[in-house]
Amino acid sequence: MWLENQQYFTLAAGKEQGDLTNQWMEWEATELQPVISAVLYATIVQGKKTEESLAMVGKQLEHISQNLTKKPFLTGDAVSVADIVVWGAIFPLLAEMSTLLEDLSSLKNWFKKVSDLQPCQKAVESLFKGKGPSVFKAYLQKMPAPSATTDASACNEQVEDAAVQTFSEEDIAAAAESWSKGLPNAPKPRLSQHPILPREGDKNILITSALPYVNNVPHLGNIIGSVLSADVFARYCRLRNWNTLYICGTDEYGTATETKAMEEGLTPQQICDKYNAVHTAIYKWFEISFDYFGRTTTAHQTTIAQDIFNRLLQRDFLLKDTVEQLRCETCQRFLADRFVEGTCPFCNYDEARGDQCDKCGKLINAVELKKPQCKVCKKSPVIKSSQHLFLDLPKLEERLEKWLDQSLATGDWTANARYITRSWIRDGLKPRCITRDLKWGTPVPLEGFTDKVFYVWFDAPIGYISIAANYTDQWEKWWKNPQQVQLYNFMAKDNVPFHSVIFPSCLLGAEDNYTIVNHLIATEYLNYEDGKFSKSRGVGVFGDMAKDTGIPADIWRFYLLYVRPEGQDSAFSWSDLMLKNNSELLNNLGNFVNRAGMFVQKFFNGYVPQMELLAEDKRLLAQVTAELQQYNQLLEKVRIRDALRCILNISRHGNQYIQVNEPWKCIKGSPQEQTRAGTVTGLAVNMAALLSVMLQPYMPSISAVIQEQLLVPQEVNVLTSEFHCVLPQGHRIGNVSPLFQKLENDQIESLRKRFGGGQLDGGCTDKQVKAEPKAPSPATDPAKETAVVGDPERIKALMQEVDKQGTHVRELKGKKAEKSLIDSEVQKLLALKKELALAEGKTPDPPAQKGKKKK
């Protein structure tokens, strides 16, 4: 019935709209609608609402929503049958889709517009026999209302259009007034205190990042997924003068530690001590600004974990049950989850762990694995019984849902966190085992179970609390104070259920007024080039290797944050790292800050000149203020990647402002022109000072260097929504020097090979290259194999960028701009052309030698 309805909506509305086939073929996402139809038919009509299939739909819808941030309809400025087809697929399913659409404001707004079209209204009325509007209204009531605020994913598009954004006279006047207030009227930075404790009436922010397993050296994906993202937000909160505590530490108990200890011939405690030092050194190099970095192997961890356990036991929230487990007769012990590997029962991935499959993400029981093997001796284990304790999640479900509804309504949860959590609730909660047959862990304080320890996912989140207890004996002011504290958890998406369902259930059941997460921020996955990070195969950059590349920590921070997987998986790319460094940092941000400072040094003897603002200057103030306010709005919602674009846009506006006004020419002209040069230079150097503050969360060292070069007063390091003149006339700056260095292709290629393991470009091993060629697919024309070397959409986007940059270079030459600026923009154009050639599977043309024309 659903499929018939979907086809009816598509055809009925399509006939009203025009020729379906021709218009649909024009849309590049032709395969999208059949995917949605097939998956939703399986998940809804047949009742198979699996997390995997709904997640697939969610990603497709997210892709559509991202496209709709750039244009009002799917194929452009006007509605087409592509819009009708997707609308027809979505409309009958609104009741089921509401959770998937919650954070996709662009998609929701588009849906409302298409639903108002006459063909769509007629389709609704026909299907429901004249009851269309009422049914339609009922469906819409099940959808979250479109957000009144800007969709964060649209930030980049908005800032790109900022150059042509119009401002009201009131906006311009307000920006000019804020500018004129200067530094004396700006708020002063908060004095540091130790320990940091909540304050009555203040905004008290408690930030945690997922505790890294102590035995693993974190790779770039681990770093961006938790500690770096949390660090940016913590630094931002401090800039806002909010009372902020950021804690983390190593997760040291459990199977993983025992396994590593056996591998290295050390005791578990020795392993913990060794790798805790490794983690500490890595995060220090990346300038992660923990207020306290601790560990879970402490007396406080035992005391607090056992107290929560006893409170759950006293309130009858624990169950006893006999569990079938895998036991290795060779090793003479039960195998904990990470001591066993086998084939996933859901997706047939042949390296699934005993607790979770890394490929499909499903949580599994070790006895469900196909062809299980003991990781230590590689023998096949046998199934035997053991008695364990379970958290009675069904009994806690009602209070969990009540809390969850409130937290989701008032907090900033990422879309994937909302979806994963709701899918757990929707499928019904089941009792969860909280004990394991191990020795290395927090002991279970109950007769009959004293030979067991707590399972890591009951024990580990309590580490946040015990780490705070090791930081201050007044830890309860943070962790038993939900009325005054806002708690932010940062993690990758695979950790969501444990932070949104299991840990909150434990704290709710303990009935001890614990602070429970208000804002759950989860990233997708960061991949490495075309594959995954692998320490054993030497593939990818790990935290202890980054500093040996010669690339400064701030460049790593910038790039990881630039490609942060906020809405979908992203990938680290050496070529893209080089491109972003050379274009966004060197040619855009660094170029602007350096020019602004050098003009002060060269033309005004190192003193900020007199500024007499004209109308165009005040308009620029409004433009910068708008970017600053957007930056604040995005970071308050923890849209870290999008807020970074606002910084780059301010420097881009600054470069354009300098280029248009040409202070290097004005300084040589009449007194009026010299005054103009002073105004442009003074305004530009103040923009650079503002950028130094906005950069602090992202690139703390570069921020400090800019402030040192410009001798920026420390009082500026409080961020508001206003752009003040903090470097007034007469302010002396220091010595100015370039902020960034160019990354060369040879250097990047060397690093790519160094961290590529046994892989060649494209992810093939030497053996794979020598293997016999596969027969072409029937759907593939062998004569056109080169057409599929690269991603067609990527090639199309690069061609557009090359054309745009080429036009920009020609305009600069036509205006007789500074040679240094033209040269830098030409280098950017050449880099884009090279990337395009590589994407097309071609060999890039070598650069022409100077003094010789290419034939």
Side-chain angles (χ1 to χ4, degrees):
M1 177 61 185
W2 175 85
L3 189 59
E4 292 175 358
N5 287 353
Q6 189 273 330
Q7 291 172 341
Y8 179 85
F9 271 96
T10 301
L11 295 174
K15 287 177 182 177
E16 293 285 340
Q17 186 65 29
D19 181 12
L20 184 147
T21 304
N22 291 337
Q23 293 189 47
W24 182 246
M25 290 295 290
E26 293 175 2
W27 191 34
E28 59 192 17
T30 307
E31 299 179 5
L32 183 59
Q33 192 270 342
V35 170
I36 292 177
S37 299
V39 174
L40 288 178
Y41 180 75
T43 59
I44 294 168
V45 178
Q46 299 181 355
K48 299 177 182 177
K49 303 177 196 175
T50 64
E51 180 178 336
E52 180 181 5
S53 57
L54 286 176
M56 186 188 303
V57 180
K59 286 189 176 182
Q60 298 287 1
L61 294 178
E62 190 173 81
H63 176 71
I64 302 177
S65 189
Q66 289 176 347
N67 287 338
L68 288 167
T69 63
K70 304 173 183 177
K71 49 197 174 185
F73 296 99
L74 294 175
T75 60
D77 295 331
V79 68
S80 71
V81 175
D83 299 279
I84 304 299
V85 172
V86 177
W87 175 86
I90 294 176
F91 180 82
L93 302 158
L94 289 182
E96 294 289 340
M97 302 285 288
S98 60
T99 57
L100 296 178
L101 296 178
E102 182 163 289
D103 280 359
L104 306 179
S105 61
S106 295
L107 181 60
K108 287 184 288 185
N109 292 332
W110 164 85
F111 183 86
K112 298 267 187 180
K113 285 187 288 187
V114 178
S115 298
D116 288 337
L117 296 173
Q118 186 178 6
C120 297
Q121 292 285 357
K122 286 186 177 181
V124 173
E125 292 176 12
S126 299
L127 182 64
F128 293 108
K129 295 181 171 62
K131 300 179 181 179
S134 61
V135 176
F136 181 54
K137 184 177 181 181
Y139 272 118
L140 291 183
Q141 287 174 343
K142 296 177 181 178
M143 290 183 64
S147 174
T149 58
T150 304
D151 184 7
S153 64
C155 173
N156 196 33
E157 182 67 17
Q158 289 185 342
V159 294
E160 290 294 278
D161 291 339
V164 295
Q165 185 177 355
T166 59
F167 298 96
S168 68
E169 293 299 324
E170 291 78 7
D171 292 334
I172 295 172
E177 183 180 357
S178 296
W179 164 269
S180 65
K181 291 178 182 177
L183 186 59
N185 292 295
K188 300 299 184 286
R190 179 188 295 273
L191 296 176
S192 60
Q193 59 171 340
H194 185 81
I196 302 168
L197 297 173
R199 294 175 175 176
E200 186 80 31
D202 272 12
K203 191 167 186 175
N204 300 300
I205 307 292
L206 176 58
I207 301 172
T208 70
S209 49
L211 306 183
Y213 282 127
V214 71
N215 61 288
N216 291 336
V217 176
H219 56 64
L220 298 181
N222 302 137
I223 290 170
I224 187 59
S226 57
V227 295
L228 180 53
S229 294
D231 179 63
V232 171
F233 187 66
R235 288 177 178 273
Y236 172 72
C237 291
R238 296 180 192 123
L239 279 180
R240 295 298 302 272
N241 258 353
W242 297 338
N243 192 36
T244 305
L245 177 66
Y246 175 26
I247 58 172
C248 188
T250 44
D251 175 11
E252 303 190 350
Y253 282 136
T255 312
T257 305
E258 283 194 1
T259 306
K260 193 70 173 179
M262 293 176 65
E263 290 175 358
E264 297 195 16
L266 300 173
T267 67
Q269 187 61 61
Q270 288 172 329
I271 282 290
C272 292
D273 294 342
K274 173 183 175 179
Y275 283 95
N276 177 270
V278 171
H279 279 268
T280 301
I282 290 170
Y283 302 139
K284 182 178 180 180
W285 187 80
F286 274 96
E287 295 193 75
I288 308 298
S289 62
F290 303 117
D291 291 300
Y292 185 75
F293 185 78
R295 54 201 306 184
T296 58
T297 51
T298 66
H300 280 301
Q301 176 73 10
T302 301
T303 300
I304 296 171
Q306 291 183 345
D307 177 67
I308 291 174
F309 168 80
N310 283 323
R311 295 181 71 90
L312 290 168
L313 184 65
Q314 293 161 9
R315 287 157 179 77
D316 200 26
F317 289 127
L318 298 179
L319 303 170
K320 296 178 184 179
D321 199 2
T322 300
V323 178
E324 290 187 330
Q325 290 182 265
L326 295 177
R327 179 177 171 83
C328 180
E329 297 298 345
T330 304
C331 298
Q332 286 295 300
R333 65 173 179 177
F334 285 102
L335 296 180
D337 299 333
R338 290 180 177 269
F339 277 101
V340 61
E341 283 186 348
T343 302
C344 175
F346 300 102
C347 70
N348 290 320
Y349 177 58
D350 58 7
E351 294 182 13
R353 301 195 311 267
D355 59 346
Q356 189 174 20
C357 175
D358 285 335
K359 183 176 181 181
C360 69
K362 293 286 187 183
L363 298 177
I364 53 182
N365 291 321
V367 293
E368 297 174 339
L369 287 172
K370 303 174 186 177
K371 301 177 182 178
Q373 278 191 340
C374 172
K375 284 189 67 175
V376 178
C377 68
K378 304 303 180 183
K379 301 293 184 181
S380 297
V382 296
I383 298 177
K384 289 199 173 182
S385 298
S386 178
Q387 193 174 41
H388 283 278
L389 294 165
F390 289 74
L391 179 65
D392 193 349
L393 286 174
K395 187 179 286 187
L396 289 160
E397 189 166 357
E398 184 177 346
R399 67 177 69 189
L400 175 68
E401 285 197 60
K402 182 178 178 181
W403 162 79
L404 186 61
D405 287 343
Q406 181 181 2
S407 186
L408 290 175
T410 59
D412 292 313
W413 288 51
T414 52
N416 55 0
R418 290 172 182 267
Y419 174 70
I420 292 170
T421 302
R422 282 193 168 123
S423 68
W424 268 58
I425 301 294
R426 183 190 62 240
D427 294 340
L429 298 181
K430 301 173 181 63
R432 185 84 178 169
C433 188
I434 64 168
T435 55
R436 284 293 185 268
D437 288 300
L438 294 173
K439 294 180 180 178
W440 184 246
T442 302
V444 178
L446 182 64
E447 187 176 350
F449 295 87
T450 54
D451 60 337
K452 304 179 191 297
V453 299
F454 289 129
Y455 178 38
V456 68
W457 274 114
F458 172 82
D459 188 61
I462 297 173
Y464 297 132
I465 305 174
S466 71
I467 287 169
N470 280 283
Y471 168 68
T472 173
D473 57 5
Q474 301 178 69
W475 61 273
E476 291 185 351
K477 291 185 177 180
W478 283 108
W479 279 103
K480 294 186 179 182
N481 191 6
Q483 295 77 21
Q484 291 186 334
V485 173
Q486 289 287 300
L487 172 58
Y488 288 77
N489 288 164
F490 286 79
M491 69 203 67
K493 63 182 177 183
D494 57 333
N495 284 340
V496 167
F498 306 106
H499 289 79
S500 66
V501 176
I502 297 175
F503 188 40
S505 294
C506 294
L507 298 183
L508 290 167
E511 296 179 351
D512 204 15
N513 197 39
Y514 273 105
T515 302
I516 307 178
V517 61
N518 305 98
H519 315 274
L520 204 157
I521 313 301
T523 62
E524 301 290 320
Y525 294 137
L526 178 74
N527 296 314
Y528 180 79
E529 296 280 353
D530 294 326
K532 292 185 176 182
F533 291 88
S534 173
K535 187 78 169 178
S536 62
R537 293 187 292 116
V539 176
V541 182
F542 286 72
D544 55 347
M545 305 171 180
K547 63 181 179 181
D548 297 328
T549 62
I551 299 174
D554 265 15
I555 307 301
W556 286 108
R557 287 176 63 107
F558 168 83
Y559 182 69
L560 290 175
L561 293 162
Y562 193 96
V563 298
R564 182 175 184 262
E566 287 190 359
Q568 60 187 9
D569 291 357
S570 61
F572 172 89
S573 162
W574 284 107
S575 298
D576 193 47
L577 169 65
M578 179 178 69
L579 180 64
K580 296 301 185 292
N581 178 83
N582 295 348
S583 59
E584 293 290 6
L585 293 181
L586 183 64
N587 294 341
N588 176 16
L589 177 64
N591 184 50
F592 170 66
V593 173
N594 186 253
R595 293 171 87 190
M598 287 300 295
F599 289 159
V600 176
Q601 275 192 332
K602 183 176 180 180
F603 301 146
F604 301 99
N605 299 315
Y607 291 92
V608 175
Q610 177 184 355
M611 290 165 275
E612 297 180 4
L613 302 185
L614 303 179
E616 64 179 283
D617 305 316
K618 294 178 181 179
R619 200 157 36 245
L620 177 62
L621 295 180
Q623 198 169 42
V624 173
T625 300
E627 299 286 2
L628 172 60
Q629 291 173 350
Q630 179 75 352
Y631 169 91
N632 282 332
Q633 290 169 8
L634 290 169
L635 278 180
E636 285 175 11
K637 296 293 184 182
V638 205
R639 303 294 188 183
I640 294 171
R641 182 192 62 200
D642 292 321
L644 178 57
R645 268 61 168 183
C646 298
I647 294 176
L648 299 174
N649 251 301
I650 290 178
S651 60
R652 190 170 292 115
H653 297 326
N655 276 317
Q656 293 169 355
Y657 175 67
I658 289 175
Q659 200 58 38
V660 168
N661 286 280
E662 300 180 322
W664 63 92
K665 291 183 179 178
C666 293
I667 197 67
K668 301 174 183 177
S670 65
Q672 185 178 0
E673 289 175 317
Q674 292 176 1
T675 299
R676 184 65 190 147
T679 299
V680 172
T681 300
L683 180 48
V685 81
N686 270 278
M687 289 173 64
L690 174 65
L691 286 172
S692 75
V693 181
M694 296 174 68
L695 274 169
Q696 276 191 34
Y698 295 90
M699 307 179 77
S701 290
I702 291 297
S703 167
V705 169
I706 296 173
Q707 295 197 1
E708 181 181 359
Q709 290 185 5
L710 302 183
L711 300 181
V712 176
Q714 287 304 300
E715 290 81 4
V716 308
N717 291 310
V718 176
L719 206 57
T720 68
S721 60
E722 297 181 337
F723 176 28
H724 298 292
C725 177
V726 297
L727 305 182
Q729 178 184 354
H731 172 86
R732 182 173 181 83
I733 69 169
N735 294 322
V736 177
S737 59
L739 298 174
F740 304 106
Q741 292 185 341
K742 183 178 181 181
L743 290 177
E744 301 292 347
N745 188 62
D746 291 346
Q747 176 188 5
I748 291 300
E749 287 304 313
S750 174
L751 290 171
R752 188 201 306 275
K753 292 178 182 178
R754 174 180 167 187
F755 294 104
Q759 292 184 332
L760 301 176
D761 286 345
C764 297
T765 63
D766 291 325
K767 292 181 180 179
Q768 289 173 322
V769 172
K770 296 175 183 177
E772 292 184 5
K774 296 173 66 177
S777 165
T780 303
D781 180 356
K784 297 181 179 178
E785 284 188 4
T786 56
V788 295
V789 170
D791 179 359
E793 293 198 19
R794 178 62 178 154
I795 292 173
K796 179 180 177 181
L798 283 170
M799 291 176 67
Q800 292 174 346
E801 288 183 42
V802 167
D803 290 341
K804 182 178 178 181
Q805 184 65 13
T807 301
H808 181 51
V809 169
R810 289 190 293 273
E811 289 175 352
L812 290 177
K813 290 180 178 179
K815 295 178 181 178
K816 297 183 179 180
E818 281 186 300
K819 185 178 183 299
S820 60
L821 177 61
I822 294 176
D823 289 343
S824 68
E825 294 301 311
V826 168
Q827 289 301 316
K828 183 176 178 181
L829 176 61
L830 293 175
L832 286 169
K833 287 183 175 180
K834 183 172 183 179
E835 189 174 0
L836 174 60
L838 292 171
E840 292 175 331
K842 302 175 183 177
T843 301
D845 292 333
Q849 297 181 7
K850 291 185 178 180
K852 296 182 179 180
K853 292 185 178 180
K854 293 176 70 176
K855 296 182 180 179

